[in-house]
Structures are given as C-alpha cells and as structure tokens.
Amino acid sequence: MLKYSFRALCAAGLMLMAGALAAQDSPSKEFAIVDLSANMIREVPDYAGELGDQALMGTVVEILERKGYWVKIRTPEPYVGWVNEMGLAVRSPEEIDCWLSSPRYICTALLTRIYREPSESSAFISDLVLGDILLKVLKANGEPLAKKGFLAVETPSGKKGFVRKDELLDFRAWADERLRTQESDPERFRSDLIRTAACFNGVPYMWGGTSTKNVDCSGLSRTVFFANGILLPRNASQQIHTGEDITIPCEGELADYSVLQKGDLIFWGRKATEDKPEKATHVGICIGGGRFIHSSQLVRINDASTYSRIPLRGRRIVGQVDKKGSGIISVRRSPWYFKQ
C-alpha cells in the first residue's frame, strides 16, 4: 500500500512557499508545474509562433495570462512565453509549496520513458529527458516503491508509472552533491560539465531548444549547466553578463583559447561601437586544449583553426555560483526548485 500521493501530501496543509515564491503569494497570483518532458514556449499564443524556449517537466512556473487554451508563463530563468494549457498542472501556492518539499527524482538519462508497469514492454505514459523532475512514490514504511529494477514515479499532473532505476537520482541528494562538488572539487566539476556537453555532440540545432532533443547555442550551455546543478539565464545576451570576465587574446584572424579553462563560456557577436553596445549572439563551452563545443547547425566541436569568428570574451562560471552579483544560482539554493 502506498504511503501517500501528491494530492494527499498537499491536503496536509504545509506552509506556503518561502523566498521569492512566498513574496509573490497573493490571490492574483497563479502557479503551475510543467507536465511535459520538454514543453514548447512560444513568443505568441499560436502554434505558428516563434519558439523561444523549452521548460522541463517538474519546473515550477508562474501563470501571467490566458488566451483560450494558451497560457502565458514566467519560468525560473526567467523567460516569459506561451504554452498549451495541457502541458501544465495548475496548482495553488500551497500545492506548489508541497511539490517543493516533497521527495522527488531527477532524470539523469538523455532520453527515456515512463512505463505503465515495471517493464520496457509495457505501454508508456510519457517520454523523459535529462533534467526532468518527478515525484517519488513511497511505500507505507516511507521507502521508495521499486519493482524489478524500476522506481515508481508520479508526474506533476498525478499520472503514475515506472522508470528504470539507473535513470533516476534523488533530486535533493543530487543537488546537494552537485553544489558540494563545484565548491570543493572544481576540477572534477569542470570535467563533469565536459562529459555532459559531449553527450550532445551531433544533436540538431533548433532555435529555442533547451533539451536533449534539440538545442540552440545558449540552450546547450544552459542545459549542460542545469544538468550539473547550476542555473544560467536563457540567452547568450544574458549569459555574457554572468560569472567572471575573461579576456581572450586575438592575433589577426586567430583567437588564443588557451587562456580558458574547461567549462568557461565563450561568446561571439557584435563588438561595441560608438553607436551600439556590445551584443552576444552566440555562445559555446570550452572543453580544453583550445577547443570548444557549441550548437551551430548541430552540436559540434571546433577550435580557432576550424571556426574563424573572433570571440567577444569568455566568462568563468565555476567558482562564481551563488556569489552576490554573479548572476548565477545553484539549483539547490533556488526557491523555484527547493523550499529554502
């Protein structure tokens, strides 16, 4: 017999959200939890509208407006855009607080599925991508329900199923470990970032993509860092203002990327002029040895000899997380993912 469901937990009447969410709590505010593996966020409430971003399952969002079956949301990045109402589980502030306090899993597989029964031959309920968040289903003794190498899960909208055990980690323990590693062993953390980035090699470019299905350039950097417990802003023009500035020496048509460390971000774009400010339009991740990985037509690896654009600058993220003014926050310390 199961100890509780998400709805039962919420009925227990837990405290309202702390931090940023608590400050937003009012009768006029609405919240929801993303219920699709990668929810398409469009610039206008129309399927023909430009794709601007994707939000992963389990992400808490604020509802700003409704037009028919379209819902305008604000994500933790923050990013504002329109999604179909069927991709959201609308919840009260008390229920959001419950979600943030509940035992959850994070998906660590690039792509997988939720099955109706603990078997890969079973019908499936939903696909999953790296970074999706699901509720744990517990037994009466409080232990996670597991069967035949699968763990029982519940989606934000309450659908129950099973995911392979080796494709999930306890969300809180994972977030604690990622924060601890980046603070105590930055070299290992940098290597972890590069291993994650390498998994995207060959993934097709898609404007607005921020999942393992498709990514744009800043979607790649944001997703790689999120998969390691760090929240970056959505776009390259925002990411260039985070972390620590690194000057990249350039001689003629060649840039010297040797000054960068693994995990540093590299930005390209428009240099500042008398009439216009600098603007980053492209970003990649340094992987060491003068090479970088980026999403340009598809995710690929280049160096100064195979990618001739002169960079604007680099930015160091590792070592700057959660520092005042850095523009970067860890998943563990974000009120959008955990009750603080």
Side-chain angles (χ1 to χ4, degrees):
M1 184 175 68
L2 305 186
K3 185 178 181 183
Y4 55 74
S5 67
F6 175 61
R7 287 289 190 181
L9 263 178
C10 295
L14 299 178
M15 294 175 61
L16 296 180
M17 288 173 289
L21 293 181
Q24 295 172 356
D25 180 31
S26 76
S28 63
K29 296 290 184 180
E30 281 191 286
F31 298 95
I33 308 171
V34 176
D35 198 46
L36 299 178
S37 64
N39 201 338
M40 304 289 190
I41 304 177
R42 301 190 181 277
E43 298 298 323
V44 295
D46 192 303
Y47 281 116
E50 178 183 337
L51 180 67
D53 197 3
Q54 292 175 309
L56 301 184
M57 182 182 290
T59 303
V60 174
V61 298
E62 182 184 356
I63 294 175
L64 303 175
E65 188 180 344
R66 297 174 185 269
K67 284 187 179 181
Y69 56 75
W70 290 95
V71 182
K72 191 175 188 179
I73 63 169
R74 178 183 289 117
T75 71
E77 281 95 319
Y79 197 91
V80 174
W82 295 86
V83 298
N84 185 294
E85 63 183 359
M86 293 189 72
L88 297 176
V90 178
R91 295 289 179 257
S92 68
E94 292 89 348
E95 290 174 316
I96 294 295
D97 186 69
C98 176
W99 175 265
L100 297 174
S101 304
S102 295
R104 289 164 290 163
Y105 294 117
I106 185 168
C107 177
T108 56
L110 294 179
L111 294 166
T112 188
R113 291 174 173 175
I114 305 174
Y115 295 92
R116 194 171 300 281
E117 301 294 337
S119 168
E120 291 184 351
S121 63
S122 170
F124 67 91
I125 294 171
S126 172
D127 67 328
L128 292 174
V129 298
L130 179 68
D132 283 342
I133 301 166
L134 298 152
L135 193 71
K136 288 186 180 183
V137 175
L138 305 182
K139 297 186 292 186
N141 63 2
E143 293 296 317
L145 178 61
K147 291 183 179 181
K148 303 176 182 178
F150 286 76
L151 290 168
V153 301
E154 183 178 336
T155 68
S157 62
K159 296 186 289 286
K160 292 185 175 67
F162 293 86
V163 179
R164 285 176 53 93
K165 186 176 182 179
D166 59 357
E167 296 176 330
L168 299 173
L169 288 175
D170 178 273
F171 186 35
R172 184 179 294 272
W174 168 86
D176 284 340
E177 187 278 333
R178 289 290 76 197
L179 179 59
R180 184 168 56 251
T181 300
Q182 71 96 12
E183 290 179 340
S184 65
D185 193 350
E187 288 309 307
R188 177 191 159 192
F189 190 82
R190 291 176 184 279
S191 295
D192 292 341
L193 288 170
I194 303 314
R195 275 193 290 272
T196 303
C199 295
F200 286 78
N201 202 24
V203 169
Y205 178 96
M206 183 174 74
W207 180 272
T210 54
S211 73
T212 51
K213 296 178 180 181
N214 307 89
V215 287
D216 60 19
C217 65
S218 55
L220 174 66
S221 52
R222 188 179 192 282
T223 303
V224 166
F225 276 83
F226 179 80
N228 285 277
I230 294 175
L231 296 171
L232 294 179
R234 171 61 183 94
N235 294 322
S237 59
Q238 300 165 315
Q239 293 176 6
I240 197 171
H241 299 295
T242 63
E244 177 186 357
D245 190 50
I246 306 294
T247 300
I248 302 174
C250 297
E251 185 173 340
E253 296 298 316
L254 288 177
D256 181 8
Y257 294 111
S258 65
V259 298
L260 299 174
Q261 298 180 15
K262 292 179 181 179
D264 288 350
L265 298 182
I266 308 167
F267 294 90
W268 296 265
R270 183 184 69 208
K271 292 184 180 294
T273 65
E274 291 183 1
D275 302 323
K276 295 180 180 179
E278 174 187 88
K279 183 179 180 180
T281 58
H282 189 59
V283 59
I285 305 170
C286 176
I287 62 174
R291 300 177 301 154
F292 52 88
I293 187 167
H294 61 143
S295 184
S296 176
Q297 298 178 301
L298 51 77
V299 178
R300 55 194 172 111
I301 295 172
N302 285 108
D303 58 22
S305 66
T306 59
Y307 192 75
S308 59
R309 292 180 68 184
I310 298 299
L312 295 173
R313 65 187 69 255
R315 301 294 290 194
R316 186 150 296 157
I317 305 301
V318 179
Q320 303 301 309
V321 180
D322 293 324
K323 287 188 176 180
K324 186 177 180 180
S326 70
I328 317 162
I329 187 172
S330 62
V331 171
R332 182 63 184 86
R333 290 176 176 148
S334 168
W336 292 94
Y337 290 94
F338 290 97
K339 210 181 150 190
Q340 302 298 310

